[in-house]
Amino acid sequence: MRAATKSLFLFLVSLFVFGLFTVSNAKAKPQAQGLTMNFYKKSCKNAENIVRKITSSKVQANPALAAKLLRTHYHDCFVRGCDASILLDPVNNTQSEKDARPNLTLEGFDVIDEIKTEIEKICPGTVSCADILALAARDAVSFPRKKSLWEVPTGRRDGFVSLASEVAGNIPSPFSNFSTLLQIFTKKGMDINDLVVLSGAHTIGVAHCGTFSRRLFNFTGKGDADPSLNATYAESLKVLCPNPANPATTVEMDPQSSLSFDTSYYKIVLQHKGLFQSDAALLTDGSSANRVSQLQDPKFFFTEFAKSVKKMGAVEVLTGNAGEIRKQCRVVNPK
């Protein structure tokens, strides 16, 4: 009996100690280990207001900037996570992500620089470039609405590495088929719903002719057009982008609606007028095609987009003591 009592006592003590250890660890885990809303409320209370004010001013002067900032945020998160690696300039003979072919047309870096400069004046070394980019993308797309289209938890830190060689295979390509797109998203912890929902960002912005001209003039190498592209639409695109394509020429990704963040994209995809092969690819999978149809509903789209872009914004983020808070977004801090 005494042995049984002793065993029970030791068991209860072990549970108690384990419980204390677990609670202690939970309490000891700093809040900065994850992303939270209003992360800078105490350390730099005006940070988000500064981002919103400057971004809104820039988008008001140049509405096309909304798509550009959102695209830059996308391209940042798909390579090394949302750590502002896309903002780093090349160092010596090492090309950065900016130099990779899919990123050569990215813009908005000057806007991020201006925001960072203003925030550094009042809160030096406090607000990360990764957070500034995530917030600016949201605020740019949300302008001029009174309410933000999605929440942006903050607390990201900036990475040290940016390599052009890491871009290929990580960023969804306009030439990708469905299985390749899904593989890229899955690798980042996202799913088929996120793929279709985030493709909806193509409702704003323009594309260079080179990203889709093959669909018009030489799809299978025999001088033919992509049969999955609406024939009438293809002919109109040929007028805008004659062969060979002028690298400087751009076309609206969502005809007549490229400055409005809405559900028009899903309507044109169903009409086989999606500009990219990656757009057409969404109809080659039953589940994906069904979701394309559902996302024509504005209420459903905005709800789902808010969820998916928030999920993307948390991909492989650096938090806590990882990374750094850059003083300038284009260069890592000097050692």
Side-chain angles (χ1 to χ4, degrees):
M1 184 70 180
R2 288 182 178 179
T5 303
K6 184 178 180 181
S7 297
L8 178 60
F9 174 78
L10 290 174
F11 175 71
L12 292 173
V13 168
S14 66
L15 283 179
F16 178 72
V17 172
F18 178 77
L20 283 179
F21 177 78
T22 304
V23 172
S24 175
N25 272 1
K27 289 181 178 179
K29 185 178 180 181
Q31 189 178 27
Q33 287 296 316
L35 304 181
T36 62
M37 295 301 299
N38 303 310
F39 181 81
Y40 300 106
K41 185 176 183 179
K42 293 182 179 179
S43 60
C44 191
K45 65 179 182 180
N46 289 321
E48 293 195 23
N49 288 332
I50 292 173
V51 175
R52 186 177 298 108
K53 181 178 180 181
I54 294 177
T55 302
S56 298
S57 174
K58 296 295 183 180
V59 175
Q60 184 173 22
N62 177 18
L65 184 60
K68 295 173 182 178
L69 284 172
L70 181 59
R71 183 169 176 242
T72 300
H73 179 41
Y74 267 51
H75 283 222
D76 180 41
C77 292
F78 275 92
V79 181
R80 288 186 170 267
C82 311
D83 67 344
S85 55
I86 189 66
L87 303 180
L88 289 172
D89 285 338
V91 177
N92 299 324
N93 295 321
T94 303
Q95 291 186 320
S96 68
E97 291 173 30
K98 287 179 178 178
D99 299 304
R101 187 174 180 180
N103 294 334
L104 294 177
T105 56
L106 292 182
E107 296 182 40
F109 300 115
D110 55 333
V111 177
I112 303 302
D113 289 338
E114 183 175 333
I115 295 171
K116 179 63 172 174
T117 297
E118 290 305 307
I119 290 180
E120 283 293 305
K121 290 178 182 178
I122 59 170
C123 307
T126 303
V127 182
S128 71
C129 298
D131 276 340
I132 290 174
L133 178 55
L135 289 164
R138 187 272 310 275
D139 294 339
V141 176
S142 298
F143 180 83
R145 296 173 173 85
K146 294 181 179 180
K147 185 178 180 180
S148 296
L149 287 175
W150 66 87
E151 292 183 338
V152 178
T154 44
R156 298 168 188 78
R157 288 170 66 85
D158 302 320
F160 301 109
V161 179
S162 181
L163 299 171
S165 59
E166 294 184 343
V167 172
N170 280 310
I171 291 180
S173 164
F175 311 106
S176 296
N177 59 28
F178 182 79
S179 60
T180 300
L181 290 171
L182 186 58
Q183 183 180 33
I184 291 173
F185 271 73
T186 301
K187 188 166 64 174
K188 298 301 177 182
M190 292 182 281
D191 56 28
I192 189 171
N193 181 65
D194 301 313
L195 165 58
V196 182
V197 170
L198 292 176
S199 294
H202 288 172
T203 191
I204 54 174
V206 298
H208 291 262
C209 292
T211 58
F212 60 87
S213 61
R214 182 184 170 189
R215 299 187 74 197
L216 305 178
F217 300 104
N218 198 27
F219 187 64
T220 65
K222 299 179 180 179
D224 55 342
D226 182 351
S228 70
L229 183 62
N230 179 285
T232 302
Y233 183 48
E235 290 303 315
S236 67
L237 289 174
K238 288 179 180 179
V239 175
L240 298 171
C241 292
N243 195 28
N246 182 337
T249 304
T250 59
V251 172
E252 290 180 291
M253 289 192 288
D254 187 353
Q256 285 80 54
S257 184
S258 64
L259 293 177
S260 178
F261 195 76
D262 53 30
T263 60
S264 177
Y265 167 78
Y266 297 104
K267 294 179 175 64
I268 65 170
V269 167
L270 289 169
Q271 294 167 6
H272 300 281
K273 295 179 181 179
L275 196 58
F276 304 133
Q277 284 175 248
S278 59
D279 296 324
L282 299 182
L283 298 181
T284 62
D285 174 86
S287 296
S288 172
N290 183 55
R291 186 49 54 115
V292 169
S293 181
Q294 292 173 337
L295 286 165
Q296 292 180 93
D297 173 25
K299 185 177 180 180
F300 184 61
F301 168 66
F302 286 118
T303 298
E304 291 303 303
F305 190 87
K307 293 177 185 176
S308 291
V309 75
K310 183 178 178 180
K311 187 175 177 180
M312 183 193 75
V315 167
E316 298 172 8
V317 293
L318 301 174
T319 59
N321 295 320
E324 67 175 5
I325 304 296
R326 289 184 213 145
K327 296 178 181 178
Q328 298 180 49
C329 291
R330 292 174 182 263
V331 296
V332 298
N333 295 337
K335 302 299 182 183

